[in-house]
Amino acid sequence: MSESTRHPVARHGQQRTPSAASQLMKLIGIGLAVLLVSGLGVVGFVVAGWSNTVNANAVELEGQKDLPPDIGAYKGGFDILLSGVDTCEAEIAHLFGDRCSGPDANGTLNDVNLLVHVSEEPRRVTAVSFPRDLMLPIPECTDEEGNTSGPMRKQPLNTAYGYGGLNCVTKTISELTGEDIEFAASVTFGGVIQITDAIGGVEVCLASPIKDYHTGLDMAAGTHTIQGYQALQFLRTRHGVGDGSDLGRIGNQQQYMTRLVRKLISDEVLGNVPTMLKLADTGIKNVEPSTSLADPMKIVQIALAVKDVPFEDIVFVQYPTYTDPDDPNKVVPDEEAATALWDAVKANKQLQITHEATENDGVVLEEGTADPAVPAPDGEAPDAGAPTETPAPDASATPDDAVALPSTIRGNSAAQLTCSNGNVR
């Protein structure tokens, strides 16, 4: 493939700017709030608001297949891509210093990318986070104005939005994973504070203190209920957890996602119609969906499909990578481990995480929440700088309907709680 002559805005440096990690709370809050609604009043509100507000902003996905009207007929389940973009919005730009006033202020990067796979019956949910600095091919893409960018052999994932918007992000991740992505949505980071405030905050755990001058986050070890700007700082922090890498930050974000899932489906939120209305209203006003997701009744079907999935079958994983041989600050796909992951997902098996957290990870497993069915990996932790052999799952140590993932794949189920592995930087 030839390199495109069109260049999106340059990637951020060593994360002095907030990055769209700050959008994760909004991204997941919107996605889960919409997907988990079950009260008739909330469904009706979402249907009306979605029809009136969202359809005008819907994005056509290239190569989109005709979808059956009933979501239960989707062979192999379905996929939803949620992408967080770092557009600077006037009402919050003052919070982000150089990022929204410097040379990058007019550029847009897709810095948070989450592919949510919902299986056939029995329903299971697998949420795969992709590093922003993942180097991969970006296919030919057409943006909303009809401009086409040529295919690129190797570019950071977070530049895809700049080449062709949500459509290009979806197409890039679809070609990487081999998944047909039926639904997609993008959001900006403007609603982070409103989302946290709408649900009364989320309790997070710190195994050790975080003090990160890049984000201004200063938190002691222990449990904290975070909301508003502090939640945004928590999700932005990169230097304050693990080894200061984007991979460590993803682990920290996944701690938040796990606890947010628990809060969203609790009586405190899901059982509280006014809270759900407020949360849904925030989502409706800030989402850019694919045309396939612009049908409000499809949202209701998705909600019904996932509302009873147990915690152990909601799993958050990081897409497996290793250090790019051409650039130590980037990563490339670990194709062998990725194949093991997608094979297990397509077989609709319960996923068991075998990765043991080290001091380089953004989180450690909270004591007492380990899954006894998961065998401990043999030997020392693998070298993160090179691809590793994918160990064969130990079938005798896991339930019949489970697959032990390679130890190179980080993550946890919603049944397992983690705590931030903080540091002072």
Side-chain angles (χ1 to χ4, degrees):
M1 295 183 184
S2 62
E3 298 291 335
S4 170
T5 57
R6 179 183 171 195
H7 300 289
V9 64
R11 67 177 294 273
H12 306 316
Q14 292 299 309
Q15 288 306 114
R16 292 188 61 223
T17 63
S19 102
S22 61
Q23 305 177 75
L24 187 65
M25 185 175 107
K26 178 176 184 178
L27 181 63
I28 302 303
I30 289 170
L32 292 177
V34 171
L35 297 183
L36 295 173
V37 290
S38 60
L40 292 179
V42 177
V43 170
F45 178 87
V46 170
V47 168
W50 203 263
S51 297
N52 294 333
T53 307
V54 171
N55 280 288
N57 300 321
V59 174
E60 190 73 36
L61 301 180
E62 289 184 67
Q64 179 75 73
K65 298 178 180 178
D66 290 336
L67 300 175
D70 182 1
I71 210 166
Y74 290 15
K75 184 175 178 57
F78 57 91
D79 292 274
I80 307 169
L81 176 70
L82 302 174
S83 184
V85 295
D86 67 350
T87 303
C88 289
E89 298 161 287
E91 62 272 21
I92 58 169
H94 66 283
L95 297 174
F96 305 118
D98 292 345
R99 168 64 190 96
C100 291
S101 61
D104 286 350
N106 294 323
T108 300
L109 299 172
N110 51 296
D111 276 348
V112 176
N113 302 282
L114 185 75
L115 183 61
V116 181
H117 178 82
V118 181
S119 72
E120 290 182 296
E121 299 287 351
R123 294 292 188 187
R124 294 189 167 99
V125 177
T126 307
V128 183
S129 295
F130 296 82
R132 52 174 263 139
D133 295 333
L134 176 62
M135 301 297 290
L136 77 175
I138 294 181
E140 177 180 295
C141 294
T142 302
D143 65 18
E144 295 177 27
E145 285 73 42
N147 301 313
T148 300
S149 61
M152 288 155 282
R153 182 182 59 83
K154 188 177 183 183
Q155 291 289 317
L157 172 60
N158 73 335
T159 63
Y161 194 92
Y163 289 113
L166 177 62
N167 169 58
C168 195
V169 180
T170 306
K171 193 173 181 181
T172 299
I173 291 181
S174 178
E175 294 199 3
L176 171 68
T177 62
E179 292 290 297
D180 290 327
I181 300 175
E182 291 83 2
F183 309 106
S186 66
V187 292
T188 64
F189 58 53
V192 174
I193 293 174
Q194 292 90 330
I195 286 287
T196 46
D197 288 346
I199 63 173
V202 172
E203 185 178 89
V204 295
C205 168
L206 274 65
S208 49
I210 295 176
K211 189 169 185 177
D212 180 5
Y213 77 88
H214 295 272
T215 62
L217 185 63
D218 189 351
M219 298 176 68
T223 57
H224 303 262
T225 297
I226 57 173
Q227 62 186 97
Y229 186 60
Q230 187 182 39
L232 183 149
Q233 292 173 300
F234 181 82
L235 291 165
R236 284 173 51 199
T237 189
R238 168 179 179 170
H239 297 282
V241 293
D243 61 359
S245 71
D246 188 49
L247 300 183
R249 179 173 56 190
I250 289 175
N252 195 53
Q253 292 168 349
Q254 289 179 332
Q255 182 211 164
Y256 187 90
M257 286 190 282
T258 300
R259 294 174 187 267
L260 179 60
V261 167
R262 288 169 170 259
K263 177 107 184 229
L264 285 170
I265 65 177
S266 70
D267 288 341
E268 187 177 351
V269 176
L270 190 59
N272 186 321
V273 171
T275 298
M276 287 300 297
L277 289 173
K278 186 176 182 181
L279 190 59
D281 185 41
T282 303
I284 287 168
K285 291 176 179 177
N286 293 280
V287 69
E288 177 191 56
S290 60
T291 52
S292 56
L293 198 59
D295 174 7
M297 294 314 299
K298 196 69 70 179
I299 300 297
V300 176
Q301 289 185 27
I302 293 172
L304 295 174
V306 303
K307 70 183 184 69
D308 294 324
V309 176
F311 285 147
E312 60 268 23
D313 285 327
I314 301 173
V315 179
F316 301 98
V317 297
Q318 294 187 36
Y319 184 81
T321 61
Y322 60 91
T323 302
D324 186 350
D326 299 325
D327 186 344
N329 295 315
K330 308 286 188 182
V331 293
V332 292
D334 183 338
E335 295 180 0
E336 187 173 2
T339 297
L341 169 63
W342 293 116
D343 284 350
V345 168
K346 290 174 182 177
N348 198 13
K349 300 293 186 180
Q350 186 180 90
L351 305 183
Q352 304 286 356
I353 304 298
T354 66
H355 174 77
E356 281 193 341
T358 71
E359 62 181 11
N360 292 327
D361 288 286
V363 292
V364 294
L365 195 63
E366 185 175 318
E367 187 175 351
T369 65
D371 189 335
V374 179
D378 295 327
E380 298 182 357
D383 179 3
T388 56
E389 281 192 22
T390 302
D394 182 355
S396 64
T398 58
D400 291 340
D401 193 30
V403 170
L405 294 177
S407 61
T408 51
I409 298 178
R410 310 181 195 189
N412 62 278
S413 76
Q416 299 169 301
L417 295 176
T418 57
C419 295
S420 299
N421 183 22
N423 58 47
V424 177
R425 291 175 184 261

